[in-house]
Each structure stands twice: as C-alpha cells, then as structure tokens.
Amino acid sequence: MSGPTKATLSKDKKTLNQCLKNDFKIMVQEALDAMGRVLDQREKDLKDWTPDKQDEFHKIFGSRGEREIPVDLPLRGVSDIHNMTAREIMLDGIRRLRDIKGQLTVNDFINEIDGPKAFCARVSSGQQSNYKVHIGINFTGRLKNHGFRSCMSVMGEDSRVSTLCHEMSHFVKKFAEPSQGGMGTSDYDENCHKKKHEDGEDKSSFEQHKDGANKMVKKEDPNVFDNAYNIERYFQISA
Ligand SMILES: [Zn+2]
C-alpha cells in the first residue's frame, strides 16, 4: 500500500499532466476568461463599496479609498498631473485592463515556454495597439523545492490571472489619448525604488519585488498605485 510519500509523488505527476505544453491556447483562454470574471468582481466591489470592501482595499494598498493621489496623464509626452482618489484609480485601472483584455485573443500570446529563459510573463510596455504578451515556462508553474514544477493556479495569489493583470498594467497610457491604454505602471524594487520597465534583465528576484511591495503598503506609499507588484494584489481573488 502506498504511504504518504508515494501519494505526494503521484499527485505531482498528475499536476504535471494538467500543465502539458500543448495545451497552451486552452491555458491562455482559461486565464483570460477568469481574468474577465475577476475584473467584474473587483469593479462590483469598488462600486458597492461596503465597509468590508473598504477595509480590504485599505489592507491591500495601505491607503484608504478616498485618499487623493497625484496621477500623471501625460498628453503627447507632456506631464499632466491630476488628483484622483485611490478608489477612482482602481476603477479607472479596471476599465483600462478590461479594454486591453478585449483586444487580445489567444493568438496575441507568444509561446516562449520552451525558450532559453525561465520567466512567467512579460510585455514590452510601450505598446499602444496590437498588444502582445510573452508567456514563459513559469506561467505553467514555478519550480518548487522538490524539483517539480507544480501547476500555477488560474486565480488567487501568484496566479495566472494576477500575473496577467500585473503585465497588462504595464502598458503605457496612449500618447495622444492618455485616457486610453494601460495604467503605465512600473516595477518597484526591494528598496521601493521605481525601475524603468524594459525588456532587459531585472536584477531583483520575484521575492525581492514582493518584499518591496510589502514595505510600500506598510509605509502607506502612494506609489503603490504605480507598482505592478501592488496592483496585482487586488486581483488575487477567485471569481
Ligand atoms: Zn512587471
């Protein structure tokens, strides 16, 4: 009879089968559909704005929804600062993410699962149309200590949906129409410093970025709404 060790192993094998690489389009479509449901749920939470949703928002961002935050809506490269409440920023962000998601089909996701670099997902943030998202091996699942690549959750913490929300938040606001496009977020490092989002090598690890996001919440840093690692946390729910 199988003991606990054997049972764990067979479970891992099953998980691996669910992450077969030839299911790429199914995997992406499933994640896109789930992202739509998560965006709908968060929009509802922000509109209903019940006391428990207000507290949850505060816990995730370190800011209350009514806090005024300066937001840049640069028109043709010229900075134009507007004050928005934290709640308005996220409602606006959901509108932007939904708009971009609506322009994407599974064919806009570039399969780099077998590529030379192990990554989760990445985008060139300067895109303003014909959006493309690159998908790497970690999107199927991260390598765990036991040497198996366990299947990444579709929704929840460090999931495919929260990853897609992170990446799509990086797309810039449109040059001639800043009310359109992505949120134009950056990646902040473990010292809470903004890093230019480029295709190039990111020197901070995933854990360091998470650490930085935690620190920013704790010190009530208004830049949480400019950090993709904080933005993605609002979308770590099941819906
Ligand atoms: Zn990023």
Side-chain angles (χ1 to χ4, degrees), residues 76-205:
R76 299 183 185 279
V78 179
S79 177
D80 185 13
I81 306 291
H82 294 250
N83 272 344
M84 290 173 78
T85 66
R87 181 184 170 204
E88 283 168 347
I89 291 173
M90 289 313 296
L91 272 169
D92 184 62
I94 287 168
R95 175 183 65 82
R96 290 170 185 273
L97 293 175
R98 186 183 280 135
D99 182 49
I100 289 167
K101 180 190 146 330
Q103 296 178 48
L104 289 167
T105 72
V106 288
N107 297 320
D108 297 313
F109 288 78
I110 316 295
N111 185 346
E112 292 181 13
I113 286 172
D114 291 320
K117 280 187 184 164
F119 66 97
C120 192
R122 61 176 181 82
V123 299
S124 295
S125 58
Q127 298 174 73
Q128 297 182 40
S129 60
N130 302 316
Y131 294 106
K132 300 282 180 259
V133 179
H134 299 255
I135 298 293
I137 183 77
N138 292 348
F139 194 82
T140 67
R142 290 189 194 277
L143 208 53
K144 303 287 182 187
N145 291 334
H146 52 57
F148 281 94
R149 200 174 283 282
S150 57
C151 203
M152 192 185 211
S153 314
V154 176
M155 288 178 278
E157 197 179 334
D158 190 20
S159 63
R160 291 178 187 153
V161 166
S162 64
T163 297
L164 290 182
C165 290
H166 173 126
E167 293 305 324
M168 291 186 204
S169 80
H170 280 317
F171 289 127
V172 291
K173 292 164 188 166
K174 289 194 180 178
F175 184 74
E177 209 178 335
S179 67
Q180 302 297 315
M183 298 175 75
T185 60
S186 298
D187 290 322
Y188 284 62
D189 67 15
E190 62 277 20
N191 300 313
C192 311
H193 293 147
K194 180 176 182 156
K195 303 181 82 169
K196 184 101 181 71
H197 189 79
E198 289 158 346
D199 279 338
E201 212 65 54
D202 186 345
K203 298 235 171 14
S204 302
S205 70

Side-chain angles (χ1 to χ4, degrees), residues 15 17 83 202 224:
T15 303
N17 286 336
N83 272 344
D202 186 345
V224 290

